[in-house]
Amino acid sequence: MTVTYHDSNTRMSQATVHNGTVYLAGQVPDDTSADMRGQTEQVLAKIDRQLAAAGTSKEHILSALVWVTDMGEFADMNAVWDAWVVPGRPPARAATEAKLALPEFKVEIMVTAAIPEA
């Protein structure tokens, strides 16, 4: 059994890969001054980069977990998500309202994706 770890520190990895599946850590925005749409765009861009580094893309996302700090802004997050997700290939997804690690974060998203066979 081989597991590879990407962008790791002593606490966690941003991605792990096992048996053709990529598991991303929850991704959060870097610029917390942005509104919900801006933070969601940042998070999805980070997901794109992490998936590419692992040899896959959003076209192969299997599932997503979304946390937002205020369901009043849920529609704004969904507007960005809907524009980003591959038409006809929406992953299984759950979303909930939650406190996040820093009060400045408005959204955190975690995905699992398949690595396409060569």
Side-chain angles (χ1 to χ4, degrees):
M1 173 180 85
T2 302
V3 178
T4 57
Y5 303 88
H6 299 261
D7 295 330
S8 303
N9 61 32
T10 57
R11 178 168 295 143
M12 63 183 283
S13 297
Q14 290 299 311
T16 57
V17 179
H18 174 259
N19 200 27
T21 305
V22 179
Y23 304 87
L24 293 191
Q27 301 298 303
V28 294
D30 292 321
D31 177 7
T32 57
S33 69
D35 64 7
M36 176 61 84
R37 287 177 184 258
Q39 287 198 19
T40 303
E41 289 168 351
Q42 291 175 55
V43 168
L44 296 177
K46 288 173 87 171
I47 289 171
D48 283 334
R49 287 190 299 274
Q50 287 291 335
L51 292 176
T56 190
S57 69
K58 65 183 176 183
E59 295 168 339
H60 304 286
I61 295 175
L62 303 170
S63 66
L65 299 173
V66 180
W67 297 274
V68 297
T69 56
D70 180 356
M71 279 299 195
E73 296 184 286
F74 191 60
D76 290 334
M77 183 281 301
N78 270 331
V80 176
W81 173 273
D82 291 346
W84 175 81
V85 75
V86 177
R89 301 191 80 159
R93 190 185 98 166
T96 190
E97 182 177 88
K99 283 186 176 183
L100 299 179
L102 295 178
E104 298 85 11
F105 293 151
K106 293 180 174 290
V107 61
E108 181 171 351
I109 302 174
M110 181 176 165
V111 304
T112 301
I115 297 175
E117 295 180 4

